[in-house]
Amino acid sequence: MDCLFCKIAQGEIPSTKIYEDERFFAFKDIAPQAPVHFLVIPKQHIESLDKVTEEDVKLLGDAMLFIARLARKQGLDKTGYRVVNNMGDDGGQTVKHLHFHILGGRSLQWPPG
Ligand code: 5GP
Ligand code: ZN
């Protein structure tokens, strides 16, 4: 499948990997918006949050645990961080493979632009 993040997860396109297990891959965003900015993706290709089904409920729950553990490893639990999923055009989704942004290392503004 011609998908950038599938290729990154499979190591076909290089990235700065943070961690991976059987189901998830974490890597640094190429254009960081905060001192810490990494992405977590399921290795399984899911186009967006809109395409998630009941069968994916455990995967998504485990993704949140995976994210919290990685954030804690980097000490972000002490200062806080933000987890973002962009869906579709208005959400600002540019890569059509479900991913979560983890941003931290500075105070983030709310609401987003
Ligand atoms: P979206 O806008 O779809 O929510 O987020 C896509 C993110 O992927 C963007 O923050 C963008 O900087 C990042 N990105 C796009 N292409 C690459 C790439 O080739 N490598 C890495 N590491 N990040 C990428
Ligand atoms: Zn994909």
PDB file of all heavy atoms in Angstrom, residues 31-64:
ATOM      1  N   ALA A  31       8.704  17.721  11.637  1.00  0.00           N
ATOM      2  CA  ALA A  31       8.563  19.177  11.785  1.00  0.00           C
ATOM      3  C   ALA A  31       8.007  19.476  13.178  1.00  0.00           C
ATOM      4  O   ALA A  31       6.824  19.807  13.339  1.00  0.00           O
ATOM      5  CB  ALA A  31       7.641  19.737  10.700  1.00  0.00           C
ATOM      6  N   PRO A  32       8.851  19.354  14.200  1.00  0.00           N
ATOM      7  CA  PRO A  32       8.356  19.449  15.582  1.00  0.00           C
ATOM      8  C   PRO A  32       7.743  20.804  15.924  1.00  0.00           C
ATOM      9  O   PRO A  32       8.286  21.843  15.561  1.00  0.00           O
ATOM     10  CB  PRO A  32       9.612  19.170  16.426  1.00  0.00           C
ATOM     11  CG  PRO A  32      10.772  19.380  15.519  1.00  0.00           C
ATOM     12  CD  PRO A  32      10.293  19.101  14.136  1.00  0.00           C
ATOM     13  N   GLN A  33       6.615  20.752  16.593  1.00  0.00           N
ATOM     14  CA  GLN A  33       5.903  21.960  17.003  1.00  0.00           C
ATOM     15  C   GLN A  33       6.098  22.273  18.486  1.00  0.00           C
ATOM     16  O   GLN A  33       5.487  23.203  19.021  1.00  0.00           O
ATOM     17  CB  GLN A  33       4.399  21.794  16.707  1.00  0.00           C
ATOM     18  CG  GLN A  33       4.095  21.525  15.240  1.00  0.00           C
ATOM     19  CD  GLN A  33       4.589  22.652  14.329  1.00  0.00           C
ATOM     20  OE1 GLN A  33       4.371  23.828  14.605  1.00  0.00           O
ATOM     21  NE2 GLN A  33       5.272  22.295  13.251  1.00  0.00           N
ATOM     22  N   ALA A  34       6.924  21.503  19.143  1.00  0.00           N
ATOM     23  CA  ALA A  34       7.218  21.697  20.573  1.00  0.00           C
ATOM     24  C   ALA A  34       8.547  20.996  20.831  1.00  0.00           C
ATOM     25  O   ALA A  34       8.995  20.187  19.997  1.00  0.00           O
ATOM     26  CB  ALA A  34       6.095  21.086  21.418  1.00  0.00           C
ATOM     27  N   PRO A  35       9.209  21.293  21.961  1.00  0.00           N
ATOM     28  CA  PRO A  35      10.488  20.632  22.247  1.00  0.00           C
ATOM     29  C   PRO A  35      10.388  19.108  22.184  1.00  0.00           C
ATOM     30  O   PRO A  35      11.334  18.443  21.760  1.00  0.00           O
ATOM     31  CB  PRO A  35      10.819  21.124  23.661  1.00  0.00           C
ATOM     32  CG  PRO A  35      10.154  22.466  23.750  1.00  0.00           C
ATOM     33  CD  PRO A  35       8.876  22.319  22.962  1.00  0.00           C
ATOM     34  N   VAL A  36       9.265  18.556  22.618  1.00  0.00           N
ATOM     35  CA  VAL A  36       8.993  17.132  22.422  1.00  0.00           C
ATOM     36  C   VAL A  36       7.801  17.012  21.483  1.00  0.00           C
ATOM     37  O   VAL A  36       6.740  17.602  21.744  1.00  0.00           O
ATOM     38  CB  VAL A  36       8.663  16.414  23.751  1.00  0.00           C
ATOM     39  CG1 VAL A  36       8.342  14.940  23.490  1.00  0.00           C
ATOM     40  CG2 VAL A  36       9.803  16.550  24.746  1.00  0.00           C
ATOM     41  N   HIS A  37       7.978  16.330  20.372  1.00  0.00           N
ATOM     42  CA  HIS A  37       6.867  16.104  19.438  1.00  0.00           C
ATOM     43  C   HIS A  37       7.124  14.789  18.728  1.00  0.00           C
ATOM     44  O   HIS A  37       7.978  14.697  17.859  1.00  0.00           O
ATOM     45  CB  HIS A  37       6.761  17.254  18.426  1.00  0.00           C
ATOM     46  CG  HIS A  37       5.564  17.141  17.510  1.00  0.00           C
ATOM     47  ND1 HIS A  37       5.298  18.083  16.532  1.00  0.00           N
ATOM     48  CD2 HIS A  37       4.560  16.233  17.420  1.00  0.00           C
ATOM     49  CE1 HIS A  37       4.189  17.732  15.877  1.00  0.00           C
ATOM     50  NE2 HIS A  37       3.732  16.601  16.400  1.00  0.00           N
ATOM     51  N   PHE A  38       6.380  13.787  19.152  1.00  0.00           N
ATOM     52  CA  PHE A  38       6.506  12.503  18.458  1.00  0.00           C
ATOM     53  C   PHE A  38       5.132  11.978  18.078  1.00  0.00           C
ATOM     54  O   PHE A  38       4.095  12.511  18.518  1.00  0.00           O
ATOM     55  CB  PHE A  38       7.339  11.491  19.259  1.00  0.00           C
ATOM     56  CG  PHE A  38       6.775  11.091  20.600  1.00  0.00           C
ATOM     57  CD1 PHE A  38       6.004   9.940  20.726  1.00  0.00           C
ATOM     58  CD2 PHE A  38       7.043  11.833  21.735  1.00  0.00           C
ATOM     59  CE1 PHE A  38       5.509   9.530  21.967  1.00  0.00           C
ATOM     60  CE2 PHE A  38       6.559  11.440  22.978  1.00  0.00           C
ATOM     61  CZ  PHE A  38       5.787  10.289  23.095  1.00  0.00           C
ATOM     62  N   LEU A  39       5.142  10.995  17.206  1.00  0.00           N
ATOM     63  CA  LEU A  39       3.904  10.417  16.678  1.00  0.00           C
ATOM     64  C   LEU A  39       3.830   8.952  17.083  1.00  0.00           C
ATOM     65  O   LEU A  39       4.858   8.261  17.119  1.00  0.00           O
ATOM     66  CB  LEU A  39       3.886  10.521  15.145  1.00  0.00           C
ATOM     67  CG  LEU A  39       4.023  11.926  14.561  1.00  0.00           C
ATOM     68  CD1 LEU A  39       4.183  11.855  13.035  1.00  0.00           C
ATOM     69  CD2 LEU A  39       2.817  12.789  14.902  1.00  0.00           C
ATOM     70  N   VAL A  40       2.645   8.502  17.389  1.00  0.00           N
ATOM     71  CA  VAL A  40       2.402   7.080  17.654  1.00  0.00           C
ATOM     72  C   VAL A  40       1.371   6.589  16.650  1.00  0.00           C
ATOM     73  O   VAL A  40       0.297   7.209  16.497  1.00  0.00           O
ATOM     74  CB  VAL A  40       1.921   6.845  19.104  1.00  0.00           C
ATOM     75  CG1 VAL A  40       1.368   5.428  19.280  1.00  0.00           C
ATOM     76  CG2 VAL A  40       3.071   7.095  20.086  1.00  0.00           C
ATOM     77  N   ILE A  41       1.725   5.506  15.964  1.00  0.00           N
ATOM     78  CA  ILE A  41       0.810   4.927  14.970  1.00  0.00           C
ATOM     79  C   ILE A  41       0.600   3.442  15.248  1.00  0.00           C
ATOM     80  O   ILE A  41       1.518   2.764  15.736  1.00  0.00           O
ATOM     81  CB  ILE A  41       1.346   5.098  13.524  1.00  0.00           C
ATOM     82  CG1 ILE A  41       2.712   4.399  13.344  1.00  0.00           C
ATOM     83  CG2 ILE A  41       1.465   6.564  13.165  1.00  0.00           C
ATOM     84  CD1 ILE A  41       3.206   4.389  11.898  1.00  0.00           C
ATOM     85  N   PRO A  42      -0.594   2.939  14.926  1.00  0.00           N
ATOM     86  CA  PRO A  42      -0.745   1.484  14.891  1.00  0.00           C
ATOM     87  C   PRO A  42      -0.044   0.981  13.635  1.00  0.00           C
ATOM     88  O   PRO A  42      -0.088   1.642  12.591  1.00  0.00           O
ATOM     89  CB  PRO A  42      -2.269   1.283  14.794  1.00  0.00           C
ATOM     90  CG  PRO A  42      -2.782   2.538  14.165  1.00  0.00           C
ATOM     91  CD  PRO A  42      -1.822   3.642  14.511  1.00  0.00           C
ATOM     92  N   LYS A  43       0.620  -0.173  13.713  1.00  0.00           N
ATOM     93  CA  LYS A  43       1.265  -0.724  12.518  1.00  0.00           C
ATOM     94  C   LYS A  43       0.226  -1.135  11.484  1.00  0.00           C
ATOM     95  O   LYS A  43       0.475  -1.096  10.280  1.00  0.00           O
ATOM     96  CB  LYS A  43       2.160  -1.905  12.904  1.00  0.00           C
ATOM     97  CG  LYS A  43       3.392  -1.456  13.685  1.00  0.00           C
ATOM     98  CD  LYS A  43       4.325  -2.602  13.983  1.00  0.00           C
ATOM     99  CE  LYS A  43       5.601  -2.068  14.631  1.00  0.00           C
ATOM    100  NZ  LYS A  43       6.544  -3.154  14.976  1.00  0.00           N
ATOM    101  N   GLN A  44      -0.916  -1.517  11.989  1.00  0.00           N
ATOM    102  CA  GLN A  44      -2.049  -1.842  11.115  1.00  0.00           C
ATOM    103  C   GLN A  44      -2.534  -0.554  10.439  1.00  0.00           C
ATOM    104  O   GLN A  44      -2.676   0.485  11.095  1.00  0.00           O
ATOM    105  CB  GLN A  44      -3.154  -2.429  12.002  1.00  0.00           C
ATOM    106  CG  GLN A  44      -4.455  -2.726  11.330  1.00  0.00           C
ATOM    107  CD  GLN A  44      -5.543  -3.017  12.375  1.00  0.00           C
ATOM    108  OE1 GLN A  44      -5.257  -3.366  13.518  1.00  0.00           O
ATOM    109  NE2 GLN A  44      -6.791  -2.859  11.976  1.00  0.00           N
ATOM    110  N   HIS A  45      -2.773  -0.615   9.138  1.00  0.00           N
ATOM    111  CA  HIS A  45      -3.231   0.580   8.433  1.00  0.00           C
ATOM    112  C   HIS A  45      -4.711   0.858   8.724  1.00  0.00           C
ATOM    113  O   HIS A  45      -5.578   0.072   8.362  1.00  0.00           O
ATOM    114  CB  HIS A  45      -3.035   0.458   6.918  1.00  0.00           C
ATOM    115  CG  HIS A  45      -3.475   1.695   6.180  1.00  0.00           C
ATOM    116  ND1 HIS A  45      -2.651   2.790   6.018  1.00  0.00           N
ATOM    117  CD2 HIS A  45      -4.667   2.027   5.630  1.00  0.00           C
ATOM    118  CE1 HIS A  45      -3.318   3.740   5.369  1.00  0.00           C
ATOM    119  NE2 HIS A  45      -4.539   3.298   5.118  1.00  0.00           N
ATOM    120  N   ILE A  46      -4.950   1.973   9.396  1.00  0.00           N
ATOM    121  CA  ILE A  46      -6.310   2.487   9.590  1.00  0.00           C
ATOM    122  C   ILE A  46      -6.247   3.918   9.086  1.00  0.00           C
ATOM    123  O   ILE A  46      -5.353   4.671   9.483  1.00  0.00           O
ATOM    124  CB  ILE A  46      -6.732   2.462  11.084  1.00  0.00           C
ATOM    125  CG1 ILE A  46      -6.716   1.029  11.637  1.00  0.00           C
ATOM    126  CG2 ILE A  46      -8.120   3.088  11.260  1.00  0.00           C
ATOM    127  CD1 ILE A  46      -6.953   0.934  13.147  1.00  0.00           C
ATOM    128  N   GLU A  47      -7.161   4.281   8.208  1.00  0.00           N
ATOM    129  CA  GLU A  47      -7.044   5.571   7.527  1.00  0.00           C
ATOM    130  C   GLU A  47      -7.174   6.772   8.469  1.00  0.00           C
ATOM    131  O   GLU A  47      -6.440   7.751   8.359  1.00  0.00           O
ATOM    132  CB  GLU A  47      -8.100   5.645   6.427  1.00  0.00           C
ATOM    133  CG  GLU A  47      -7.964   6.833   5.519  1.00  0.00           C
ATOM    134  CD  GLU A  47      -9.065   6.848   4.461  1.00  0.00           C
ATOM    135  OE1 GLU A  47      -9.280   5.797   3.821  1.00  0.00           O
ATOM    136  OE2 GLU A  47      -9.706   7.895   4.305  1.00  0.00           O
ATOM    137  N   SER A  48      -8.130   6.692   9.375  1.00  0.00           N
ATOM    138  CA  SER A  48      -8.360   7.822  10.282  1.00  0.00           C
ATOM    139  C   SER A  48      -9.244   7.362  11.428  1.00  0.00           C
ATOM    140  O   SER A  48      -9.756   6.232  11.419  1.00  0.00           O
ATOM    141  CB  SER A  48      -9.053   8.975   9.544  1.00  0.00           C
ATOM    142  OG  SER A  48     -10.426   8.655   9.341  1.00  0.00           O
ATOM    143  N   LEU A  49      -9.449   8.242  12.390  1.00  0.00           N
ATOM    144  CA  LEU A  49     -10.346   7.914  13.513  1.00  0.00           C
ATOM    145  C   LEU A  49     -11.738   7.566  13.002  1.00  0.00           C
ATOM    146  O   LEU A  49     -12.434   6.724  13.581  1.00  0.00           O
ATOM    147  CB  LEU A  49     -10.406   9.089  14.491  1.00  0.00           C
ATOM    148  CG  LEU A  49     -11.146   8.805  15.804  1.00  0.00           C
ATOM    149  CD1 LEU A  49     -10.463   7.696  16.607  1.00  0.00           C
ATOM    150  CD2 LEU A  49     -11.240  10.062  16.649  1.00  0.00           C
ATOM    151  N   ASP A  50     -12.127   8.191  11.901  1.00  0.00           N
ATOM    152  CA  ASP A  50     -13.453   7.941  11.335  1.00  0.00           C
ATOM    153  C   ASP A  50     -13.637   6.501  10.872  1.00  0.00           C
ATOM    154  O   ASP A  50     -14.760   6.025  10.760  1.00  0.00           O
ATOM    155  CB  ASP A  50     -13.689   8.908  10.167  1.00  0.00           C
ATOM    156  CG  ASP A  50     -15.093   8.781   9.621  1.00  0.00           C
ATOM    157  OD1 ASP A  50     -16.044   8.976  10.403  1.00  0.00           O
ATOM    158  OD2 ASP A  50     -15.239   8.452   8.429  1.00  0.00           O
ATOM    159  N   LYS A  51     -12.540   5.816  10.601  1.00  0.00           N
ATOM    160  CA  LYS A  51     -12.625   4.444  10.079  1.00  0.00           C
ATOM    161  C   LYS A  51     -12.476   3.382  11.183  1.00  0.00           C
ATOM    162  O   LYS A  51     -12.455   2.187  10.903  1.00  0.00           O
ATOM    163  CB  LYS A  51     -11.535   4.220   9.017  1.00  0.00           C
ATOM    164  CG  LYS A  51     -11.699   5.090   7.787  1.00  0.00           C
ATOM    165  CD  LYS A  51     -12.938   4.680   6.984  1.00  0.00           C
ATOM    166  CE  LYS A  51     -12.985   5.335   5.611  1.00  0.00           C
ATOM    167  NZ  LYS A  51     -13.431   6.742   5.654  1.00  0.00           N
ATOM    168  N   VAL A  52     -12.357   3.836  12.420  1.00  0.00           N
ATOM    169  CA  VAL A  52     -12.210   2.906  13.538  1.00  0.00           C
ATOM    170  C   VAL A  52     -13.529   2.166  13.767  1.00  0.00           C
ATOM    171  O   VAL A  52     -14.610   2.737  13.622  1.00  0.00           O
ATOM    172  CB  VAL A  52     -11.777   3.712  14.790  1.00  0.00           C
ATOM    173  CG1 VAL A  52     -12.060   2.951  16.062  1.00  0.00           C
ATOM    174  CG2 VAL A  52     -10.306   4.083  14.693  1.00  0.00           C
ATOM    175  N   THR A  53     -13.438   0.864  14.105  1.00  0.00           N
ATOM    176  CA  THR A  53     -14.640   0.073  14.366  1.00  0.00           C
ATOM    177  C   THR A  53     -14.553  -0.538  15.768  1.00  0.00           C
ATOM    178  O   THR A  53     -13.524  -0.428  16.445  1.00  0.00           O
ATOM    179  CB  THR A  53     -14.777  -1.083  13.352  1.00  0.00           C
ATOM    180  OG1 THR A  53     -13.748  -2.048  13.618  1.00  0.00           O
ATOM    181  CG2 THR A  53     -14.658  -0.596  11.916  1.00  0.00           C
ATOM    182  N   GLU A  54     -15.625  -1.223  16.141  1.00  0.00           N
ATOM    183  CA  GLU A  54     -15.668  -1.916  17.442  1.00  0.00           C
ATOM    184  C   GLU A  54     -14.463  -2.842  17.604  1.00  0.00           C
ATOM    185  O   GLU A  54     -13.950  -3.006  18.704  1.00  0.00           O
ATOM    186  CB  GLU A  54     -16.947  -2.759  17.540  1.00  0.00           C
ATOM    187  CG  GLU A  54     -18.213  -1.956  17.792  1.00  0.00           C
ATOM    188  CD  GLU A  54     -18.323  -1.465  19.234  1.00  0.00           C
ATOM    189  OE1 GLU A  54     -17.672  -2.066  20.110  1.00  0.00           O
ATOM    190  OE2 GLU A  54     -19.031  -0.481  19.464  1.00  0.00           O
ATOM    191  N   GLU A  55     -14.039  -3.441  16.516  1.00  0.00           N
ATOM    192  CA  GLU A  55     -12.896  -4.372  16.572  1.00  0.00           C
ATOM    193  C   GLU A  55     -11.602  -3.681  16.977  1.00  0.00           C
ATOM    194  O   GLU A  55     -10.651  -4.344  17.392  1.00  0.00           O
ATOM    195  CB  GLU A  55     -12.674  -5.017  15.191  1.00  0.00           C
ATOM    196  CG  GLU A  55     -13.676  -6.089  14.872  1.00  0.00           C
ATOM    197  CD  GLU A  55     -13.416  -6.711  13.495  1.00  0.00           C
ATOM    198  OE1 GLU A  55     -12.390  -6.401  12.874  1.00  0.00           O
ATOM    199  OE2 GLU A  55     -14.274  -7.495  13.066  1.00  0.00           O
ATOM    200  N   ASP A  56     -11.553  -2.376  16.829  1.00  0.00           N
ATOM    201  CA  ASP A  56     -10.325  -1.624  17.113  1.00  0.00           C
ATOM    202  C   ASP A  56     -10.305  -1.044  18.528  1.00  0.00           C
ATOM    203  O   ASP A  56      -9.351  -0.359  18.906  1.00  0.00           O
ATOM    204  CB  ASP A  56     -10.166  -0.479  16.106  1.00  0.00           C
ATOM    205  CG  ASP A  56     -10.167  -0.966  14.672  1.00  0.00           C
ATOM    206  OD1 ASP A  56      -9.539  -2.010  14.408  1.00  0.00           O
ATOM    207  OD2 ASP A  56     -10.809  -0.318  13.822  1.00  0.00           O
ATOM    208  N   VAL A  57     -11.349  -1.306  19.305  1.00  0.00           N
ATOM    209  CA  VAL A  57     -11.472  -0.666  20.621  1.00  0.00           C
ATOM    210  C   VAL A  57     -10.284  -1.012  21.526  1.00  0.00           C
ATOM    211  O   VAL A  57      -9.707  -0.135  22.174  1.00  0.00           O
ATOM    212  CB  VAL A  57     -12.818  -1.044  21.276  1.00  0.00           C
ATOM    213  CG1 VAL A  57     -12.822  -0.726  22.756  1.00  0.00           C
ATOM    214  CG2 VAL A  57     -13.959  -0.306  20.584  1.00  0.00           C
ATOM    215  N   LYS A  58      -9.895  -2.284  21.544  1.00  0.00           N
ATOM    216  CA  LYS A  58      -8.760  -2.658  22.404  1.00  0.00           C
ATOM    217  C   LYS A  58      -7.471  -2.023  21.900  1.00  0.00           C
ATOM    218  O   LYS A  58      -6.668  -1.532  22.690  1.00  0.00           O
ATOM    219  CB  LYS A  58      -8.624  -4.188  22.484  1.00  0.00           C
ATOM    220  CG  LYS A  58      -7.389  -4.610  23.261  1.00  0.00           C
ATOM    221  CD  LYS A  58      -7.549  -5.891  24.029  1.00  0.00           C
ATOM    222  CE  LYS A  58      -6.231  -6.375  24.635  1.00  0.00           C
ATOM    223  NZ  LYS A  58      -5.522  -5.378  25.444  1.00  0.00           N
ATOM    224  N   LEU A  59      -7.296  -2.023  20.580  1.00  0.00           N
ATOM    225  CA  LEU A  59      -6.107  -1.405  19.991  1.00  0.00           C
ATOM    226  C   LEU A  59      -5.993   0.062  20.411  1.00  0.00           C
ATOM    227  O   LEU A  59      -4.920   0.542  20.776  1.00  0.00           O
ATOM    228  CB  LEU A  59      -6.175  -1.522  18.463  1.00  0.00           C
ATOM    229  CG  LEU A  59      -4.961  -1.025  17.692  1.00  0.00           C
ATOM    230  CD1 LEU A  59      -3.812  -2.015  17.794  1.00  0.00           C
ATOM    231  CD2 LEU A  59      -5.297  -0.772  16.225  1.00  0.00           C
ATOM    232  N   LEU A  60      -7.114   0.765  20.366  1.00  0.00           N
ATOM    233  CA  LEU A  60      -7.086   2.188  20.706  1.00  0.00           C
ATOM    234  C   LEU A  60      -6.812   2.405  22.189  1.00  0.00           C
ATOM    235  O   LEU A  60      -6.061   3.315  22.567  1.00  0.00           O
ATOM    236  CB  LEU A  60      -8.414   2.854  20.336  1.00  0.00           C
ATOM    237  CG  LEU A  60      -8.624   3.142  18.859  1.00  0.00           C
ATOM    238  CD1 LEU A  60      -9.791   4.090  18.681  1.00  0.00           C
ATOM    239  CD2 LEU A  60      -7.384   3.740  18.217  1.00  0.00           C
ATOM    240  N   GLY A  61      -7.422   1.580  23.030  1.00  0.00           N
ATOM    241  CA  GLY A  61      -7.162   1.680  24.464  1.00  0.00           C
ATOM    242  C   GLY A  61      -5.695   1.414  24.766  1.00  0.00           C
ATOM    243  O   GLY A  61      -5.058   2.148  25.539  1.00  0.00           O
ATOM    244  N   ASP A  62      -5.158   0.393  24.122  1.00  0.00           N
ATOM    245  CA  ASP A  62      -3.746   0.060  24.327  1.00  0.00           C
ATOM    246  C   ASP A  62      -2.836   1.151  23.772  1.00  0.00           C
ATOM    247  O   ASP A  62      -1.745   1.378  24.308  1.00  0.00           O
ATOM    248  CB  ASP A  62      -3.418  -1.295  23.688  1.00  0.00           C
ATOM    249  CG  ASP A  62      -4.023  -2.458  24.470  1.00  0.00           C
ATOM    250  OD1 ASP A  62      -4.433  -2.251  25.630  1.00  0.00           O
ATOM    251  OD2 ASP A  62      -4.102  -3.574  23.920  1.00  0.00           O
ATOM    252  N   ALA A  63      -3.274   1.820  22.722  1.00  0.00           N
ATOM    253  CA  ALA A  63      -2.484   2.939  22.183  1.00  0.00           C
ATOM    254  C   ALA A  63      -2.349   4.038  23.241  1.00  0.00           C
ATOM    255  O   ALA A  63      -1.271   4.631  23.405  1.00  0.00           O
ATOM    256  CB  ALA A  63      -3.137   3.493  20.920  1.00  0.00           C
ATOM    257  N   MET A  64      -3.433   4.285  23.985  1.00  0.00           N
ATOM    258  CA  MET A  64      -3.373   5.326  25.021  1.00  0.00           C
ATOM    259  C   MET A  64      -2.401   4.936  26.135  1.00  0.00           C
ATOM    260  O   MET A  64      -1.647   5.774  26.648  1.00  0.00           O
ATOM    261  CB  MET A  64      -4.776   5.583  25.591  1.00  0.00           C
ATOM    262  CG  MET A  64      -5.737   6.222  24.610  1.00  0.00           C
ATOM    263  SD  MET A  64      -5.160   7.832  23.984  1.00  0.00           S
ATOM    264  CE  MET A  64      -5.076   7.477  22.243  1.00  0.00           C
TER     265      MET A  64
END
